[in-house]
Amino acid sequence: MSKAEKVAGVQPEMETVEIDGSMLEGGGQILRISAGMGCLLRKTIVVHSIRAKRSKPGLRAQHLTGLQLVTQISRGTLLGGAVGSCDIKLQPGQLQGGHYEADTGTAGSIALLIQVTLPCMIFTPRPSHLRLRGGTNADMAPPVDFLQHVFCPIAERFGVSCDIDVIKRGFFPQGGGIVEVACKPSAELKAVEMLDPGHLVEITGQAVSAGDLPPNFADDIAKDCQRRLNSRHKELVDGVRIAIAADHLSPHKAKATGSSVLIVGHTSTGCLLAGTGLGSKHKGSRAIAADAVDMLTNNLQHAACVDEHLQDQLIILMSLAKGVSRIRTGPLTMHTETAMELCKQILGVKFEVTAVEGVPGVHIITCEGVGFTTATAG
């Protein structure tokens, strides 16, 4: 831009980043990361071939709601914003904090709405508050509980201040859950190292049930989790405190019938690894408990510092932080590989993935972040 243009108040042309929505994971994650990072960096994002390899290509209601929400926060414009659209263009404006509301209108995951907006909320000039409606415990997505009890405590180490409050549970197929999110802006994120998995010291968790299920169903899930841990993983949990709460929710705390459980393994070095189980029609408490316990113990046996769901969510924070972050993971998920590729394309950061010698399937991910600050946001 010339000096004359600056004096005249002419705005510089916004950089455009084009993303192939069918690459790697090929799903909604590409939209969430691209939209959130584009609005944060004030880069126009064009995504084509959205979910092209899925049985129903294009935007679903949940994806559209997330795009509309992040467009609001950035005071931007969205083209192609319709259910079924396979191409979108998001041109962001100035990031603004404040109060926002969104409703998927379905049982679409509230956790995924939080994921798309969080990068922007971290760097808005004033605190942000969201009131979101949809599914709190949905298939093919982490439950809101995971964000509360695993993601947020680890994100706090990077300098993220985010509180999540579940007002009402929403289960498939009706949804209707309500979650409030409060996020205070951070001037800058700091690099984090998580290289020592330590040893397991405690397992905590909560099972919930609602609607037409028997009043003791959540209690059965919690007891079945403990039985499976003690019977099938006795050596792993020997001497470990296990405390899994249970709650059968009243109608004003949950809409429709549903159940779920989250269990979290706490290690001596502060690592948090989770296992989740989600109820469905004709699925008993033992099966739900088995899903959660098997997921948790699989994560623990890899001797990793983060679990399969946390991996990809930390990639964005590592990319934005100032300094070099290193995290020890189990086998890389496709979501993690997709997150790294998108951060390379949009932010220009590089990742180094090295195998841990003598420990099959365990890796160290290293990234020197860009040191993004509120001074450059919006």
Side-chain angles (χ1 to χ4, degrees), residues 140-153:
M140 305 299 290
V144 170
D145 315 66
F146 177 85
L147 298 186
Q148 280 182 304
H149 300 293
V150 178
F151 173 76
C152 283

Side-chain angles (χ1 to χ4, degrees), residues 24 34 80 83 103 144 198 208 222 242 258 281 295 306 308 368 376:
L24 295 173
S34 300
V83 172
D103 186 347
V144 170
V208 296
I242 302 176
K281 194 173 182 180
M295 183 186 296
V306 300
E308 60 196 274
E368 182 172 2
T376 53

Side-chain angles (χ1 to χ4, degrees), residues 34 60 69 168 219 227 230 281 293 332 337 343 353 378:
S34 300
R60 299 292 97 202
L69 181 57
K168 190 173 189 176
D219 193 51
R227 289 192 193 100
N230 288 325
K281 194 173 182 180
V293 170
L332 298 190
E337 294 186 19
C343 288
V353 180

Side-chain angles (χ1 to χ4, degrees), residues 217-231 244 284-290 293:
F217 195 76
D219 193 51
D220 288 344
I221 296 172
K223 289 177 179 177
D224 287 333
C225 283
Q226 185 137 359
R227 289 192 193 100
R228 191 174 183 87
L229 285 166
N230 288 325
S231 64
I244 303 171
S285 62
R286 289 185 182 180
I288 298 167
V293 170

Side-chain angles (χ1 to χ4, degrees), residues 302 304 311 329-332 355-356 359-363:
H302 280 127
Q311 277 184 28
T329 77
L332 298 190
V356 175
V359 190
V362 178
H363 304 84

Side-chain angles (χ1 to χ4, degrees), residues 8-72:
V10 176
Q11 295 297 314
E13 186 174 342
M14 192 174 292
E15 179 184 348
T16 297
V17 180
E18 293 195 16
I19 302 293
D20 179 0
S22 67
M23 70 172 184
L24 295 173
E25 185 271 337
Q29 182 201 23
I30 293 174
L31 287 166
R32 290 189 293 275
I33 295 178
S34 300
M37 298 294 267
C39 289
L40 179 62
L41 299 170
R42 294 201 74 186
K43 293 183 178 182
T44 295
I45 296 293
V46 175
V47 185
H48 63 83
S49 306
I50 294 170
R51 303 177 70 252
K53 299 175 184 177
R54 298 295 198 260
S55 58
K56 292 183 179 180
L59 296 178
R60 299 292 97 202
Q62 170 187 291
H63 308 124
L64 178 58
T65 302
L67 288 172
Q68 292 171 333
L69 181 57
V70 80
T71 301
Q72 275 188 284

